[in-house]
Amino acid sequence: MSAHVLAAAPFIHRAGQLDVRVATSEEEIAAAQALRYRIFYDEMGAEPTPAMARARRDIDDYDSVCDHLLVIDHGLDGKPHVVGTYRMLRQVVAAMHRGFYSAGEYDLTPLLKTSAEGGQLLELGRSCVAPEYRNNATISLLWRGIASYLQTHGISHMFGCASLHGTEPAAHAVELSYLYHHHLAPPELRARALDHVPMDRIPADRYDPRAASRALPPLVKGYLRVGAMVGDGAFVDRQFNTVDVFVVMPVERITRRYLDRFTANDAD
């Protein structure tokens, strides 16, 4: 396991028996991988490799160079349990290793050019929360952890892939069209899918945008609430049984009320 991961300075926010911080040991990262396996493979129908199935952990080569944000429950049985996680990869770290994970699905050239003018990029991925913890308290803790990480590392833009369940884009025609028509990123931030699946499948006047917005997964709706925009084209990820959309969030577009909300009372 990379020294980069294990040396990451933790920060902690607490809410009752839950706290959020960056993983500091291989054991904690393994617990996050086990949670990811439970959600992505057992629940969502992703296709594991034989090695992952034997270990019952979602593992790839990026885990060793990323920071892993964890929500930990200390009240179940007196032992800490990882109940939520995000994987985070900073641009300076990606440049020293294999680049960004999303580059396997999207052409990131516009975003990389924009970042060269100042500010670091942060890739978010592998987001998941245990079913029994999918509530405002857990999601708020994750966002508070992300907000602290943004400030600590001087991040200018966050990005990553968000998923719609299943591998048939036509089943998500309304949602994809809504995202394209109402939340498309400007050209300087607009990553384009390598294996391009058009998102503008239905004319803007042929669907109800409010109904389309309501049909989006909670994670995507959460991103949009903090100012997210989408790239051009969807990507079908057959291993993970998803249709992916690229999401980019300029940090300055995250409204002041969200930053205040998630960074206030750090000692509580």
Side-chain angles (χ1 to χ4, degrees):
M1 192 62 64
S2 163
H4 163 72
V5 172
L6 300 185
F11 46 81
I12 297 179
H13 302 282
R14 298 187 186 278
Q17 65 193 38
L18 303 179
D19 65 39
V20 63
R21 60 177 173 79
V22 172
T24 58
S25 70
E26 293 185 18
E27 291 76 17
E28 289 180 343
I29 295 170
Q33 293 168 333
L35 175 64
R36 284 162 26 189
Y37 190 95
R38 174 184 169 192
I39 304 306
F40 300 143
Y41 298 89
D42 290 345
E43 179 180 341
M44 305 300 293
E47 192 68 34
T49 65
M52 286 192 288
R54 287 192 298 271
R56 292 195 57 78
R57 289 192 284 152
D58 171 50
I59 303 169
D60 71 14
D61 292 337
Y62 283 86
D63 281 328
S64 63
V65 298
C66 290
D67 284 329
H68 299 260
L69 190 68
L70 311 177
V71 174
I72 299 172
D73 188 334
H74 297 273
L76 288 175
D77 55 11
K79 300 178 182 179
H81 293 266
V82 174
V83 299
T85 186
Y86 250 111
R87 192 167 76 175
M88 306 181 295
L89 180 58
R90 287 180 286 134
Q91 185 175 8
V92 64
V93 179
M96 293 187 296
H97 295 90
R98 61 182 63 241
F100 287 116
Y101 178 90
S102 300
E105 299 186 7
Y106 285 85
D107 178 4
L108 305 180
T109 301
L111 195 56
L112 294 173
K113 286 182 179 179
T114 297
S115 74
E117 300 172 2
Q120 279 282 302
L121 301 176
L122 176 67
E123 182 178 53
L124 299 176
R126 292 299 201 273
S127 168
C128 64
V129 175
E132 59 271 32
Y133 291 86
R134 291 173 190 164
N135 51 50
N136 288 337
T138 308
I139 302 305
S140 293
L141 272 178
L142 281 171
W143 275 103
R144 290 178 69 185
I146 290 170
S148 291
Y149 197 89
L150 296 177
Q151 293 185 328
T152 298
H153 295 290
I155 304 300
S156 65
H157 294 80
M158 299 184 292
F159 71 93
C161 293
S163 299
L164 306 174
H165 187 57
T167 57
E168 294 298 331
H172 300 292
V174 172
E175 299 99 304
L176 293 173
S177 299
Y178 168 78
L179 290 171
Y180 184 89
H181 294 141
H182 294 271
H183 297 283
L184 187 65
E188 65 271 17
L189 297 176
R190 192 182 302 164
R192 180 178 171 84
L194 299 176
D195 188 5
H196 192 269
V197 175
M199 296 174 66
D200 54 335
R201 309 178 76 87
I202 304 174
D205 60 353
R206 299 289 182 86
Y207 62 88
D208 179 353
R210 291 186 178 180
S213 176
R214 288 194 297 270
L216 292 169
L219 181 63
V220 177
K221 287 190 281 192
Y223 287 155
L224 297 179
R225 280 195 294 270
V226 295
M229 298 169 286
V230 300
D232 182 12
F235 184 92
V236 177
D237 188 333
R238 300 200 178 278
Q239 180 195 352
F240 276 87
N241 191 31
T242 58
V243 173
D244 293 344
V245 294
F246 186 87
V247 177
V248 58
M249 293 163 275
V251 169
E252 72 272 12
R253 286 192 56 168
I254 299 177
T255 61
R256 174 51 51 189
R257 67 191 180 96
Y258 274 96
L259 283 177
D260 287 346
R261 175 182 174 186
F262 293 126
T263 59
N265 302 319
D266 286 355
D268 65 350

